[in-house]
Amino acid sequence: MRFERTPLAGVWTIELELLEDERGWFARAFDTEEFMARGLELEVAQGNLQYTPRAGTLRGMHYQRDPHGEPKLVRCIRGATHHVVVDLRPGSPTHGAWHGVGLSPESRRALYVPPGLAHGSQTLVDDCEVFYLMGHRHVPEAACGVRWDDPAFAIDWPAPPGGGERIVSARDRAYPDYPL
């Protein structure tokens, strides 16, 4: 695995290192020791799959309040998606900043998101699947979010493919402005 820092403190992209031969390839997708060596904690508590049938669907920006913060490792296993994280950690050197990254099976890249960051994604094609390794179980009463289009962050989302309509749930549209 190749770990690459992003502009946000504690957020990394992880690329697979392929071992290839005539049969195809093999790669480690997760290794606790490799994560711990970089100060990244992800004791896997839950694995989640997300399927989205339509391009232009936006989910986010979600997080869980402490003490239920969720470190996560996100990988797109079918289709193509754009993932955004926003640093909501008070005192962080990158508080209020956002970073976006494209994920797809072809990129063979995953995104590590530490607790305290909001996460969202938008599908770039139809029929997308995303796999999450979660470091904390989902706790519905701790679920929170910030609006995907909050002017405090000014996230530059990709335009929906083909000039189509962006699909956002009523819940995700209703989050209040974030007080930076």
Side-chain angles (χ1 to χ4, degrees), residues 29-70:
F30 179 74
D31 183 319
T32 300
E33 287 184 17
E34 291 282 343
F35 275 67
M36 289 177 63
R38 290 162 179 84
L40 311 178
E41 295 187 36
L42 185 60
E43 184 177 321
V44 177
Q46 190 170 306
N48 301 324
L49 277 171
Q50 169 187 295
Y51 171 73
T52 307
R54 293 190 45 208
T57 301
L58 192 145
R59 297 172 185 255
M61 303 289 294
H62 305 141
Y63 67 99
Q64 283 194 167
R65 284 187 308 275
D66 284 335
H68 306 290
E70 302 171 304

Side-chain angles (χ1 to χ4, degrees), residues 95-143:
H95 180 253
W98 65 272
H99 178 69
V101 63
L103 300 180
S104 69
E106 293 75 26
S107 76
R108 296 187 178 106
R109 184 179 337 161
L111 179 66
Y112 173 79
V113 182
L117 280 83
H119 168 252
S121 65
Q122 179 180 306
T123 55
L124 303 176
V125 298
D126 289 343
D127 296 317
C128 292
E129 287 185 54
V130 177
F131 181 68
Y132 295 77
L133 288 179
M134 307 297 290
H136 197 288
R137 298 180 68 68
H138 180 67
V139 178
E141 56 274 12

